[in-house]
Amino acid sequence: MENFEYEYNDLEKFLIFEARNNLAITDLLQMIAILALFTKSSTTIRVLLDLRFFHAQYEINEQEKLIKAFHKVVNKSRKIKIADIVNSPRETSFALIFLMELKTIDNVEFEVFCTRESGMDWLRS
């Protein structure tokens, strides 16, 4: 079984990732690679990261790899809006550190939520 699943919701125009298991840094890098494919076909990307059921299987200092990979995906002509759904203190701290790094990119909005509904409402706004 994959550690995560993803789908594109045509109705909502959301790319949705759902963790199904513990995630290693390689899983998160794979998510960024999938995101890169979607950025080629749309000018606005809305992403719901449902990470409520995962435990990070990497250390906080490894997030630098994620940030570098994400910077490579970002194209100034595209807007990326990401709602990260988490529900544990450790994963929330990882998300907030990632949030602070992404705040430096003008065309990326990244917010952390504790419920799927609140994240989806924000993506729709």
Side-chain angles (χ1 to χ4, degrees):
M1 180 170 115
E2 290 287 326
N3 291 338
F4 69 90
E5 294 176 358
Y6 75 96
E7 68 172 316
Y8 186 77
N9 181 314
D10 284 320
L11 179 65
E12 295 276 10
K13 305 289 188 219
F14 293 167
L15 177 59
I16 302 171
F17 290 96
E18 292 185 4
R20 294 288 178 223
N21 209 340
N22 294 337
L23 298 177
I25 198 78
T26 53
D27 297 311
L28 296 171
L29 290 169
Q30 187 178 358
M31 287 180 177
I32 292 172
I34 292 165
L35 174 62
L37 296 174
F38 282 88
T39 62
K40 293 177 182 177
S41 62
S42 181
T43 57
T44 301
I45 312 296
R46 290 178 177 84
V47 181
L48 181 73
L49 290 176
D50 190 342
L51 304 180
R52 293 174 294 164
F53 306 107
F54 106 108
H55 176 77
Q57 293 295 306
Y58 61 93
E59 296 303 319
I60 196 72
N61 62 341
E62 291 183 275
Q63 268 197 201
E64 184 65 29
K65 294 175 189 174
L66 294 177
I67 293 161
K68 286 180 181 177
F70 193 82
H71 274 279
K72 289 179 184 177
V73 167
V74 174
N75 180 320
K76 293 295 182 191
S77 65
R78 292 179 174 44
K79 179 179 177 182
I80 302 175
K81 194 170 182 177
I82 303 171
D84 191 2
I85 316 303
V86 291
N87 64 355
S88 73
R90 183 173 187 259
E91 280 64 37
T92 300
S93 66
F94 280 33
L96 291 174
I97 290 169
F98 199 64
L99 166 72
M100 296 310 296
E101 290 293 331
L102 296 183
K103 289 284 187 187
T104 63
I105 306 172
D106 290 337
N107 58 322
V108 175
E109 295 179 56
F110 183 97
E111 294 294 336
V112 180
F113 300 91
C114 58
T115 68
R116 188 177 176 112
E117 294 76 25
S118 60
M120 290 180 78
D121 287 345
W122 178 76
L123 286 172
R124 289 181 190 112
S125 65

